[in-house]
Amino acid sequence: MTAAEILAKQKEFLFPSVRPYYEEPLVADRGQGLHLWDKDGRRYLDFFGGILTVSVGHAHPKVTAAVTAQQQKLVHVSTLYPTEPQVQLAEKLVQIGPIKPAKVFFTNSGTEANETAILTAKLATGRREVIALRHSYGGRGAVALNMMGQAPWRLMESEIAGFKHAHAPYCYRCDFGLKYPDCGVRCATDIEPLIQTETSGKIAAFIAEPVMGVGGFIVPPPDYFKVAVPIIRKYGGVFIADEVQTAWSRTGKPWGIDNYGVTPDIMTFAKGMANGQPIGATLARADLADALKGLSISTFGGGPVSMAAALATIGVIEEERLMHNAQLLGERLKLGLTALAEKHRGIGDVRGLGLMQALELVKDRGTKEPDAAGATQLLEATRRRGLLVGKGGLFGNTMRIAPALTVNAAQVDEALALLGEALAEAAI
Ligand SMILES: Cc1ncc(COP(=O)(O)O)c(C=O)c1O
């Protein structure tokens, strides 16, 4: 099929919400390492990795070999039959994860991982009220939709009660008009009056992303979780870290929450865990996991092929010391973005951790009015130059830059040069 035929069929046969990037969508054909090729053979430097999911590069040979071998041996049996890859990966997660002792439940997506975490917290505490964050993204199941803090993604009015939304740790747009550190981390201390006034005072959980991904790579201040989490625990809730975007060394530490010196009670994973193979995982303190005793099955959860892909991906991250690469190259990327912000007045904020960096675009640095049109133009301009980046944020004005952890210095420099040209073209 030609690109035009594929686009025509996409329009005719897929739900309209399956909405691709770009005025003329990019029909992806193949990928290798940091590069993606479209159907017309044009090569792109991929600095978004299928939404932070291609964590060790497209078609990494070790992941491909592991998936192919597993595909030839055993593809599916359901969780009714234990398999070696499933217990191997569960053991690995328990060994490398910060929660001890812990147990794992495998699913197929971040949505399911989060819904499993919420269900576990509710069953373990016998309570239903949950604190989530404004600007958060949780997935597209009913619970996840009602949990998240962004109207454009919720699609309809709330159907599930019990979620209360705390102020986001969004320093660039502080809801209280304060500045860190003089603010006393007000966004975190405000959780206590939120619990006292908006809930029964008996909460099941607090769910938060260590860096808010879809929200526009919002990085909470350093002591945010050290202040917020004890408040949650004081009221009997457990802390769920949604690590769907931030795990696997992405932020330059093993887990996103490691940047904050707090140990969660439950963690959720998906995206980059299996380099593109569908997967979700919920890691919970063993006593909490033991609350999920009743019948609950994920037909494809723990599937041998996804398990093999995850084991290989984690192996590559460890063997190739990619956490170190995320620190080094993340620093290089951030320095380059900061230099671009000195030249381009439309960049209001540069933020991020490791290889998860963002530019928030504004019409005016004083008023901070979001520049969504500028972000759209910039997205098109980067694509014209052969660079793929993402967009996000409640106002659609944040560029998300997150290459595979295998990226090298030359590729970071190339991306920065292309981004600089695109910023000039879009008059940012
Ligand atoms: C932080 C976070 N949690 C959960 C999800 C949902 O994951 P999935 O799309 O795999 O269901 C996403 C997806 O973007 C996410 O970014």
Side-chain angles (χ1 to χ4, degrees), residues 51 109-112 114 137-139 209 214 242 244-245 270-271:
I51 325 178
S109 65
T111 300
E112 293 168 87
N114 278 345
Y137 182 91
E209 302 159 72
V214 177
D242 176 346
V244 167
Q245 295 210 11
K271 290 202 188 294

Side-chain angles (χ1 to χ4, degrees), residues 94-250:
V94 169
Q95 275 169 358
I96 64 176
I99 304 172
K100 312 280 180 202
K103 291 185 182 179
V104 187
F105 193 100
F106 290 116
T107 49
N108 310 287
S109 65
T111 300
E112 293 168 87
N114 278 345
E115 300 229 355
T116 303
I118 296 289
L119 179 64
T120 304
K122 286 181 178 175
L123 286 171
T125 60
R127 300 156 169 205
R128 287 160 188 253
E129 289 177 306
V130 173
I131 308 294
L133 289 179
R134 298 181 186 187
H135 296 269
S136 66
Y137 182 91
R140 49 178 303 284
V143 167
L145 277 176
N146 286 267
M147 182 171 94
M148 69 179 136
Q150 299 192 55
W153 293 100
R154 290 174 67 125
L155 302 180
M156 58 188 297
E157 62 271 25
S158 295
E159 294 172 293
I160 295 180
F163 289 104
K164 303 293 171 195
H165 292 88
H167 290 278
Y170 192 177
C171 295
Y172 182 63
R173 295 186 186 277
C174 177
D175 287 343
F176 303 98
L178 298 172
K179 279 230 167 324
Y180 183 81
D182 301 339
C183 60
V185 208
R186 179 78 177 277
C187 50
T189 58
D190 188 66
I191 292 174
E192 183 151 27
L194 176 74
I195 294 170
Q196 289 170 338
T197 59
E198 299 252 349
T199 76
S200 63
K202 298 186 212 82
I203 55 164
F206 169 52
I207 181 162
E209 302 159 72
V211 176
M212 304 178 77
V214 177
F217 292 180
I218 298 168
V219 183
D223 43 354
Y224 175 75
F225 288 101
K226 277 207 176 120
V227 178
V229 173
I231 298 172
I232 297 302
R233 290 185 174 143
K234 180 175 157 189
Y235 290 87
V238 302
F239 170 39
I240 303 167
D242 176 346
E243 295 258 5
V244 167
Q245 295 210 11
T246 50
W248 319 114
S249 306
R250 169 61 58 186

Side-chain angles (χ1 to χ4, degrees), residues 335-386:
L335 280 175
L337 294 175
T338 307
L340 288 173
E342 278 162 22
K343 269 207 244 154
H344 298 275
R345 301 286 307 161
I347 298 175
D349 195 26
V350 179
R351 57 174 179 257
L353 293 176
L355 284 171
M356 192 175 180
Q357 299 289 336
L359 299 177
E360 179 159 350
L361 306 186
V362 290
K363 290 187 181 155
D364 179 286
R365 283 190 181 177
T367 63
K368 298 186 181 175
E369 187 186 340
D371 188 4
T376 302
Q377 280 171 18
L378 185 57
L379 196 73
E380 296 289 345
T382 47
R383 188 254 177 104
R384 273 195 286 280
R385 281 165 179 75

